[in-house]
Amino acid sequence: MSSRGGKQKKGNVTSEQEEEEQPLQAVLVADSFNRRFFPISKDQPRALLPLGNVAMIDYTLEFLTSTGVQETFVFCCWMSNKIKDHLLKSKWCRPTSPNVVHIITSDLYRSLGDVLRDVDAKNLVRNDFILVYGDVVSNIDVSQALQEHRHRRKVDKNISVMTMVFKESSPGHKTRCEEDDVIVAMDSKSKRFSMVTDEFEIRHDLLDCHISICSPQVAELFTDNFDYQTRNDFVRGILVNEEILGNQIHLYVTQDGYGARVSNLQMYDSVSLDMVRRWVYPLTPEANFTDQQGQGCTHSRHNVYRGAEVSLGHGSQMEENVLIGRDTSIGANCHISNSVIGNNCTIGDNVVLDRAHMWNNVHVSSNVEIHQSVVCDGAVVKEAVRLNKQCVLAYNVVIGPNLSLPEGTVVSMHHPEEEEEDDDDEFLSDDQEVGHSKDKTRQKAFNPAEVGPEGKGYIWKASMNDTEDEELAQCLWGLVLNPDPESDSESEASEESQDRTFQLEVLGTLQRGLEENIVCDNLVLEINSLKYAYNITLKEVMQILTRVVLEYPFQQQGTQLTTLQYTGSLLPLLKTWSPVFKNYIKRAQDHLDCLSAVEELFLEQDTHQTAMVKVLMKMYQLEILEEEAILKWFSTGATNDKSRQLRKNQGVMRRMSLWRKESEEDESSEEGECGR
Amino acid sequence: MELQAVLMAAGGGSRMMDLTYNTPKPLLPVGNKPLIWYPLNLLERVGFEEVIVITTKEVQKMISTDPKVKLDVKMKLDLVCIQEDADMGTADALRHIQQKVKTDVLVVSCDLITDAALHEVVDLFRAHNATLSMLMSKAHEFTETVPGQKGKKKTGEQRDFVGVDGTGKRLLFMANEADLDEGVVIRKSIMRKHPRMHIKTGLVDAHLYCLKKSVVDFLADNKSISSIRGELVPYLVRKQFSKSTNSPKVIDETHQNLKKNDSNISSRDEELLHLTQERSCWNDHRGDMSDAYHGGRLRCYVHIMDEGICYRVNTLAAYIEANRLAPKLFDEPAVHPSAVVSERCLIGADSIIGASCQISDKTSIKRSTIGVSTTVREKVKVTNSIIMHGVTIEEGCNIQGSVICSNAVIGRGADIKYCLVGSAQRIEPDAEVNITYHYKSITYNNCHKVSK
């Protein structure tokens, strides 16, 4: 017995070992498949943009390596040569690298879906793999998630196809991307994406790290469903077909660690600062994890990092969270905070930098002010220029002197129109394109009013394209979504407006009835059908009808009617429409409701209160209202001071008693006649 | 006095079929005590000395005259009668007694049988200066076969969706399946304030509410609200997140009242409290820097019981279940001292025998309740049944899974399975009745065998 147990155990161990032995693989997509970073990414693919003076793809690769990935497939499309060159030079392609990097390039990839279909076609993955983009910065240890994922797959026979990694961060956190504002419904016990169980949790405090652990089935599923383009398509498809295909998606929520995708400049700004503030430890600037010569820098307090050969002028202050690359010189009396400055930059005197992101070889003259902006390689900022928030100076742009760029200005050496022309062949093979566009650039002169007298570059307007999709793509800094207005219970509002439209419809019907001489029975039919269309109760129908009829003279002849004119025009109308009224006013309660509608109207139209008696009288004579109902209303209905006032003024009672006498006389005379 | 207790005991028991034909719901015997005794006892146990009972004339009369429904509570009962035919909802009833309400109120329904720790609900109310706090419990499956029903009862009632925050206490969302057109719609502004929301279904509302006095005053001004559960609670839950300053100005007078009351609805001691809140570093949430409760002044909380007994006796099934569980709730001898029980009979430990019963030889009673002054003759077998007061069961009867209402007479040798026998009915000797109701109409037609 015991020996058998031991054997089994051994067997398990070996199978586990086998699994362990299989190298952990990762698929890294070094393309965003969108134009979010245009025009910056026109010259450099997004994965190579420097963040804290290190290319973004290096962070991703470092993250993968540290979680134990041994084989990474890097898929490139846009400017694949540059990425390839970068990787070949980096430490990842040295023979000692623990993570073997394979670079796969193709101009045909248009989406994540294409990449994964290619993964399936080439049969690259053999086991669970990690799927990330080339712009993910993270230090999350996903081994825990990986273990959970494997466990689930072992227990549930491959039902779970994907585990997505989320980080807890409450709404409004600055690393939350506005466009990526996820709300997740999950089963809190099994951590499953779902809506079908009895009890589920809705979470708005999660940040999508864009790291997912996928089973090999994921690639197959992408092949099977050729319309899946993005991961969102995939997730949606799985959830919709969950019951049919039995596939599930789980999530892994981590409380600590850092994970974010640089999906727009807003994110770039915050991730870059988080990096300098050491949230991504151990991936810090001074660690020089890319192991490149001369990249090292020193870390001093207030998170100030200095590369080699940095010179700082007299009286210059580096307040906090500043990273300065090697061979950069800074003039006197500068004031720098929360900024990253690249290699070989020169900065003049009296410069103020706040949340500035300067890449390599940037020249900034004296008396410049830069706030929350990105200045790309080789850009020149001349004397006394001010960059307001969210400006972008793309490669080799020259600005100034004496200019203030308004908020959100994007300047590039590429002319925006040339970009539009290229729209026709969406996927530009970069090398040729750069070559032939240069001629065109020269033809168009720079506008000195926009970029300054010595400036070089074209302004990119934020929304120059027509379609919404394009507009989104142009928005470098990401969307600023307005919080939804907190209206006072929407349902009530809509109900009210429904009443209102119903009222208008009834008015229209009556008007038409009058003009075209429609029989009252047909009017009733029309109103009834309206009642169903707007889902309105019988009581409301009657009240609205009363209101419409009583307001009819105002509607037709304006509100400046005298009381005499009003009654004059109303009374015949009442007579015409009395069959309509009679159809709706049957029970005793209806009479009271109608009366209260009348009362309400005359309370509003207080100048015409005297007409009320006449109206009531007419309605009584037309046998719309019963005498008892009127008396009952009069005696019981007074609910507030105003209506009491109304009744007093009118002396309705007096008149009522008069009618009563009249009617009694009538009746008695009738009776008398009958008797005879 | 911190809280005034209000007991709602005017409901008709419309969902209990013919059980309530002769006996009003509050006085239905459960474990030989009137149903209303259970909430009263609950209140008494936690130390209430006075309770306002809203009820009907009929109930009041029966309480004062009928010895069988002795209420045996020491609290001072302030009986308020409302007209039966006025069709008043619970909120209407509360409005009716507005003059008597001096402080915050604890509203309990008469059909609640629970062993819940009431202080949990009240503590929430106190700790958060809440506008409303309420009690909920996981729904129970009724296992017993219900008379007149073949097979499982279909889940006819619509599900309630209840949304609570991460701590499981704050009530954020409430909707009934019937009101939802397509899916659950939750406003994003709520999600932003409370990023984690648990949506739960399968909960029963115990109809036990702590309400601020201002809510009662609010009710007095808003006559359109007639039910606490149906209208007032959803309204308060919704109002937690609407800014009164933001709402467009409405000319309508009632609306202005509404608005005025919104700000009033939780304004007792507000100034001092505001100051303490400002000075304190305590916060009810984390993740953002806004004030505690996000500056909202209306707060609704819920205590959800994980375990323990919590039943609302509003259906026949719940009534039977409650009878089965009732003996566990109080420790009194199962057999009343004044009952005359023959020594040669078998009475299970889970049965209750009421006062001045007569139980004859060779009788077996298992898992059943026998009411006051009931006579059971020889060789009778009673299992899983509820026999109310003054019933006579002749020799050799076999009664299983049934409810026999007061003063019924069961003829000799009758075999009754899963039946509801109406009050004062006679079942003919040797009758064999299966799964049916046996009430007035049947005897009128003189047809005692409805289905074989």
Side-chain angles (χ1 to χ4, degrees):
Chain A
M1 199 58 192
S2 63
S3 69
R4 194 183 278 174
K7 239 184 205 170
Q8 262 183 354
K9 211 175 178 185
K10 221 178 232 171
N12 272 345
V13 169
T14 49
S15 73
E16 258 170 39
Q17 270 175 348
E18 269 169 32
E19 265 178 34
E20 292 294 309
E21 274 164 20
Q22 288 225 338
L24 180 59
Q25 295 172 311
V27 170
L28 191 156
V29 184
D31 203 317
S32 54
F33 304 114
N34 64 33
R35 299 179 162 200
R36 226 20 188 309
F37 273 64
F38 261 46
I40 301 174
S41 55
K42 231 171 149 62
D43 297 309
Q44 191 85 315
R46 194 200 287 191
L48 295 188
L49 299 184
L51 187 119
N53 294 343
V54 174
M56 287 201 267
I57 196 169
D58 288 330
Y59 289 97
T60 317
L61 281 167
E62 179 68 27
F63 154 71
L64 289 174
T65 311
S66 66
T67 50
V69 173
Q70 287 165 293
E71 195 176 9
T72 308
F73 300 98
V74 179
F75 287 82
C76 329
C77 172
W78 170 239
M79 296 201 171
S80 48
N81 289 340
K82 283 199 172 179
I83 298 177
K84 205 168 175 175
D85 288 348
H86 175 87
L87 288 178
L88 287 176
K89 270 188 274 173
S90 72
K91 75 167 184 178
W92 314 112
C93 287
R94 291 179 200 158
T96 53
S97 167
N99 185 359
V100 183
V101 174
H102 305 277
I103 303 164
I104 298 163
T105 62
S106 165
D107 287 341
L108 295 172
Y109 301 141
R110 309 245 156 148
S111 69
L112 178 70
D114 292 332
V115 169
L116 284 173
R117 279 185 274 276
D118 202 39
V119 168
D120 188 43
K122 290 184 175 146
N123 216 352
L124 294 174
V125 292
R126 295 174 296 278
N127 212 325
D128 297 342
F129 62 97
I130 297 176
L131 175 68
V132 284
Y133 280 100
D135 44 16
V136 168
V137 176
S138 168
N139 64 358
I140 294 172
D141 184 9
V142 293
S143 50
Q144 175 74 20
L146 205 63
Q147 231 167 37
E148 280 177 23
H149 179 77
R150 281 183 181 147
H151 177 74
R152 269 195 290 269
R153 285 177 60 74
K154 211 182 260 170
V155 172
D156 293 339
K157 290 196 183 118
N158 300 344
I159 280 180
S160 170
V161 290
M162 191 188 256
T163 302
M164 293 163 79
V165 177
F166 284 87
K167 155 127 185 59
E168 247 177 42
S169 81
S170 31
H173 192 280
K174 62 183 167 41
T175 41
R176 276 180 82 103
C177 178
E178 285 279 3
E179 299 140 46
D180 222 11
D181 215 13
V182 281
I183 295 183
V184 174
M186 64 186 269
D187 190 323
S188 25
K189 277 186 205 116
S190 64
K191 290 184 182 163
R192 205 179 90 199
F193 252 105
S194 68
M195 284 290 276
V196 284
T197 45
D198 263 358
E199 197 180 319
F200 56 91
E201 192 178 0
I202 300 176
R203 298 190 65 162
H204 189 42
D205 62 341
L206 295 180
L207 175 85
D208 188 356
C209 301
H210 289 273
I211 300 165
S212 12
I213 299 163
C214 306
S215 325
Q217 278 150 284
V218 172
E220 290 161 25
L221 281 167
F222 266 98
T223 311
D224 293 347
N225 300 282
F226 51 83
D227 56 331
Y228 288 176
Q229 295 296 314
T230 61
R231 200 180 60 158
N232 277 350
D233 292 341
F234 174 78
V235 171
R236 218 160 283 148
I238 291 286
L239 291 184
V240 167
N241 297 324
E242 184 179 323
E243 275 161 41
I244 307 164
L245 300 171
N247 292 324
Q248 293 175 352
I249 298 179
H250 288 79
L251 26 74
Y252 173 77
V253 178
T254 172
Q255 259 127 18
D256 38 38
Y258 187 91
R261 183 177 175 207
V262 181
S263 49
N264 57 32
L265 277 185
Q266 192 83 52
M267 287 297 285
Y268 178 86
D269 180 40
S270 39
V271 172
S272 171
L273 275 176
D274 286 339
M275 232 282 295
V276 173
R277 288 181 182 138
R278 308 177 76 77
W279 283 106
V280 207
Y281 187 86
L283 306 185
T284 50
E286 88 277 11
N288 189 20
F289 60 87
T290 52
D291 201 20
Q292 269 170 348
Q293 281 282 304
Q295 269 293 6
C297 57
T298 58
H299 174 220
S300 43
R301 62 180 183 165
H302 302 310
N303 291 333
V304 173
Y305 305 84
R306 279 187 236 198
E309 307 293 325
V310 168
S311 73
L312 191 65
H314 182 74
S316 280
Q317 260 185 12
M318 292 193 282
E319 216 163 62
E320 51 170 5
N321 308 322
V322 179
L323 167 60
I324 299 172
R326 93 186 107 87
D327 300 326
T328 289
S329 66
I330 295 170
N333 296 322
C334 290
H335 196 274
I336 304 170
S337 58
N338 301 318
S339 297
V340 175
I341 300 168
N343 303 330
N344 291 319
C345 294
T346 51
I347 290 172
D349 300 335
N350 300 319
V351 172
V352 176
L353 302 178
D354 180 45
R355 303 192 81 157
H357 303 277
M358 283 190 210
W359 298 352
N360 301 330
N361 305 317
V362 175
H363 294 274
V364 177
S365 307
S366 301
N367 303 318
V368 168
E369 239 181 272
I370 299 179
H371 297 279
Q372 201 189 5
S373 296
V374 175
V375 182
C376 299
D377 286 3
V380 178
V381 183
K382 303 237 167 189
E383 284 263 330
V385 169
R386 185 191 159 91
L387 299 189
N388 284 315
K389 275 188 177 176
Q390 307 195 336
C391 284
V392 175
L393 303 186
Y395 291 91
N396 304 321
V397 163
V398 181
I399 292 288
N402 301 319
L403 189 74
S404 171
L405 287 186
E407 205 175 308
T409 314
V410 179
V411 187
S412 167
M413 288 306 279
H414 300 281
H415 197 277
E417 274 162 34
E418 116 199 5
E419 138 76 358
E420 270 186 359
E421 284 155 24
D422 292 332
D423 266 359
D424 302 333
D425 57 335
E426 255 185 58
F427 277 77
L428 340 123
S429 63
D430 40 291
D431 307 311
Q432 311 164 348
E433 186 256 327
V434 171
H436 80 86
S437 67
K438 254 174 195 159
D439 310 327
K440 270 195 265 172
T441 332
R442 298 239 166 77
Q443 291 163 10
K444 291 162 191 161
F446 307 117
N447 184 353
E450 285 173 350
V451 293
E454 295 164 34
K456 286 178 190 166
Y458 305 99
I459 300 267
W460 281 52
K461 300 255 166 20
S463 58
M464 54 183 191
N465 292 310
D466 322 288
T467 56
E468 263 180 55
D469 239 19
E470 294 283 327
E471 210 166 301
L472 265 178
Q474 289 301 330
C475 195
L476 267 168
W477 286 93
L479 295 169
V480 181
L481 298 171
N482 298 325
D484 55 342
E486 296 184 59
S487 63
D488 195 31
S489 169
E490 295 114 38
S491 59
E492 280 170 29
S494 72
E495 244 166 61
E496 218 133 85
S497 72
Q498 212 162 43
D499 279 6
R500 181 80 202 139
T501 43
F502 178 76
Q503 190 173 335
L504 289 176
E505 292 271 2
V506 170
L507 178 71
T509 309
L510 290 181
Q511 221 163 349
R512 210 153 29 78
L514 211 60
E515 282 161 12
E516 296 169 20
N517 234 343
I518 298 174
V519 195
C520 282
D521 286 350
N522 290 346
L523 287 180
V524 168
L525 274 180
E526 278 193 36
I527 293 174
N528 276 346
S529 64
L530 285 174
K531 167 184 178 295
Y532 290 117
Y534 290 95
N535 190 19
I536 277 176
T537 63
L538 206 59
K539 182 182 162 189
E540 283 171 321
V541 169
M542 203 226 339
Q543 286 182 333
I544 289 173
L545 178 70
T546 317
R547 184 167 251 274
V548 167
V549 170
L550 294 186
E551 277 179 351
Y552 198 83
F554 297 124
Q555 202 78 43
Q556 298 298 318
Q557 299 162 34
T559 45
Q560 263 67 48
L561 287 178
T562 64
T563 312
L564 257 181
Q565 281 171 320
Y566 174 71
T567 45
S569 55
L570 181 66
L571 295 184
L573 287 176
L574 276 178
K575 188 165 184 184
T576 340
W577 286 326
S578 64
V580 183
F581 275 105
K582 277 179 197 162
N583 186 66
Y584 289 105
I585 303 173
K586 282 177 182 148
R587 293 167 303 148
Q589 186 59 41
D590 301 339
H591 289 271
L592 287 180
D593 288 339
C594 175
L595 278 167
S596 67
V598 173
E599 179 184 340
E600 201 178 301
L601 183 101
F602 280 104
L603 279 176
E604 277 170 33
Q605 308 280 354
D606 36 10
T607 47
H608 298 291
Q609 281 185 355
T610 39
M612 185 174 174
V613 187
K614 283 192 176 156
V615 171
L616 286 183
M617 188 130 105
K618 189 74 187 171
M619 286 176 104
Y620 169 70
Q621 282 167 351
L622 290 167
E623 289 171 11
I624 297 170
L625 293 173
E626 275 171 16
E627 177 193 342
E628 281 166 33
I630 298 178
L631 288 176
K632 190 175 175 195
W633 162 76
F634 184 79
S635 53
T636 62
T639 45
N640 54 27
D641 294 343
K642 253 186 159 176
S643 56
R644 218 164 284 142
Q645 193 74 31
L646 173 76
R647 276 158 229 228
K648 232 181 244 168
N649 280 349
Q650 308 266 326
V652 183
M653 204 57 193
R654 198 161 35 85
R655 301 202 185 196
M656 288 293 282
S657 53
L658 274 177
W659 304 347
R660 241 175 128 175
K661 266 182 205 157
E662 276 170 29
S663 61
E664 266 165 20
E665 272 165 21
D666 281 358
E667 272 167 30
S668 64
S669 66
E670 268 169 35
E671 267 169 33
E673 274 167 25
C674 284
R676 269 174 219 166
Chain B
M1 188 168 53
E2 185 198 357
L3 278 169
Q4 273 179 300
V6 177
L7 183 65
M8 298 284 179
S14 52
R15 275 182 289 178
M16 305 190 65
M17 308 207 256
D18 300 277
L19 269 182
T20 49
Y21 191 81
N22 273 29
T23 323
K25 185 165 94 165
L27 301 180
L28 277 177
V30 175
N32 279 345
K33 289 180 183 297
L35 183 53
I36 196 174
W37 178 84
Y38 291 89
L40 285 174
N41 180 256
L42 177 75
L43 294 172
E44 198 174 54
R45 277 202 313 256
V46 294
F48 278 98
E49 288 168 353
E50 204 182 327
V51 57
I52 302 170
V53 181
I54 298 175
T55 188
T56 55
K57 285 239 163 56
E58 191 191 358
V59 174
Q60 190 195 22
K61 214 172 89 191
M62 285 177 86
I63 287 178
S64 51
T65 57
D66 201 336
K68 272 179 280 186
V69 290
K70 209 176 60 195
L71 274 181
D72 147 51
V73 283
K74 294 179 197 74
M75 280 187 297
K76 191 181 151 211
L77 299 187
D78 182 2
L79 292 177
V80 178
C81 293
I82 56 169
Q83 287 170 327
E84 264 166 281
D85 53 348
D87 196 26
M88 279 169 92
T90 41
D92 295 321
L94 206 54
R95 191 179 302 131
H96 186 70
I97 56 154
Q98 194 219 351
Q99 301 302 324
K100 287 175 185 272
V101 175
K102 302 284 186 288
T103 65
D104 303 339
V105 288
L106 176 74
V107 181
V108 191
S109 165
C110 74
D111 54 10
L112 175 68
I113 295 186
T114 181
D115 61 351
L118 213 52
H119 70 86
E120 301 261 19
V121 182
V122 181
D123 282 351
L124 280 176
F125 188 68
R126 290 169 177 151
H128 299 285
N129 190 24
T131 313
L132 160 81
S133 71
M134 60 195 286
L135 178 69
M136 284 195 184
S137 157
K138 294 231 163 70
H140 300 274
E141 293 272 324
F142 299 120
T143 46
E144 301 288 311
T145 316
V146 177
Q149 261 169 22
K150 283 180 185 168
K152 278 255 164 181
K153 194 188 163 195
K154 47 195 186 296
T155 45
E157 285 198 34
Q158 261 130 345
R159 290 187 293 173
D160 265 324
F161 292 95
V162 175
V164 292
D165 73 346
T167 62
K169 298 291 183 199
R170 178 94 189 250
L171 187 56
L172 302 175
F173 177 76
M174 205 175 212
N176 189 278
E177 203 165 23
D179 304 332
L180 301 172
D181 298 331
E182 33 191 81
V184 181
V185 180
I186 293 166
R187 295 239 300 280
K188 206 172 170 187
S189 57
I190 303 179
M191 289 311 297
R192 204 168 293 131
K193 286 172 188 164
H194 301 275
R196 291 182 79 158
M197 188 192 285
H198 292 272
I199 303 279
K200 301 189 177 199
T201 56
L203 294 178
V204 274
D205 183 351
H207 285 226
L208 184 147
Y209 309 102
C210 284
L211 294 169
K212 277 254 175 289
K213 178 173 187 302
S214 50
V215 176
V216 183
D217 296 339
F218 163 79
L219 276 180
D221 293 339
N222 290 274
K223 302 224 161 37
S224 58
I225 295 176
S226 78
S227 139
I228 294 182
R229 172 62 227 251
E231 294 158 68
L232 180 66
V233 173
Y235 177 81
L236 291 176
V237 170
R238 228 174 32 232
K239 275 287 167 202
Q240 290 182 95
F241 301 102
S242 58
K243 275 188 200 152
S244 46
T245 50
N246 224 359
S247 62
K249 291 216 167 105
V250 256
I251 318 124
D252 199 5
E253 204 173 321
T254 53
H255 270 255
Q256 260 177 0
N257 272 343
L258 253 171
K259 245 170 66 183
K260 202 175 71 198
N261 280 296
D262 273 350
S263 45
N264 277 345
I265 214 158
S266 59
S267 59
R268 200 162 62 100
D269 298 338
E270 202 62 53
E271 262 174 52
L272 252 174
L273 270 172
H274 222 78
L275 193 68
T276 40
Q277 232 173 61
E278 232 167 62
R279 299 275 162 93
S280 144
C281 57
W282 178 83
N283 205 331
D284 72 319
H285 62 270
R286 45 186 295 236
D288 59 30
M289 303 297 287
S290 59
D291 293 347
Y293 306 114
H294 300 273
R297 307 170 96 185
L298 235 155
R299 296 183 278 277
C300 300
Y301 285 84
V302 60
H303 174 65
I304 298 172
M305 291 170 68
D306 283 331
E307 47 198 22
I309 301 169
C310 181
Y311 285 100
R312 287 203 62 224
V313 183
N314 55 1
T315 59
L316 187 55
Y319 177 71
I320 291 168
E321 192 75 17
N323 264 288
R324 230 165 45 75
L325 287 165
K328 292 177 194 160
L329 280 173
F330 49 87
D331 35 73
E332 275 173 35
V335 179
H336 198 274
S338 65
V340 181
V341 180
S342 155
E343 291 196 353
R344 288 203 289 155
C345 71
L346 200 79
I347 293 176
D350 41 9
S351 298
I352 302 175
I353 313 291
S356 46
C357 277
Q358 286 181 17
I359 313 260
S360 310
D361 289 352
K362 290 180 187 167
T363 299
S364 128
I365 295 170
K366 283 179 196 156
R367 299 179 71 197
S368 299
T369 314
I370 311 282
V372 176
S373 337
T374 290
T375 313
V376 180
R377 297 265 147 77
E378 286 87 2
K379 289 179 194 162
V380 170
K381 239 174 115 179
V382 181
T383 36
N384 268 342
S385 297
I386 299 156
I387 318 284
M388 293 190 195
H389 309 308
V391 177
T392 309
I393 301 171
E394 301 282 355
E395 286 164 32
C397 285
N398 186 6
I399 298 171
Q400 193 186 339
S402 301
V403 179
I404 316 271
C405 295
S406 301
N407 303 322
V409 178
I410 313 292
R412 139 206 307 257
D415 188 7
I416 298 174
K417 277 183 187 151
Y418 305 110
C419 289
L420 171 63
V421 177
S423 65
Q425 298 305 308
R426 299 188 72 85
I427 303 286
E428 310 276 313
D430 294 317
E432 214 173 279
V433 200
N434 259 328
I435 308 188
T436 180
Y437 315 122
H438 208 276
Y439 51 97
K440 219 173 168 187
S441 62
I442 298 171
T443 15
Y444 275 167
N445 302 336
N446 268 337
C447 109
H448 60 272
K449 283 186 187 176
V450 176
S451 66
K452 163 81 210 295

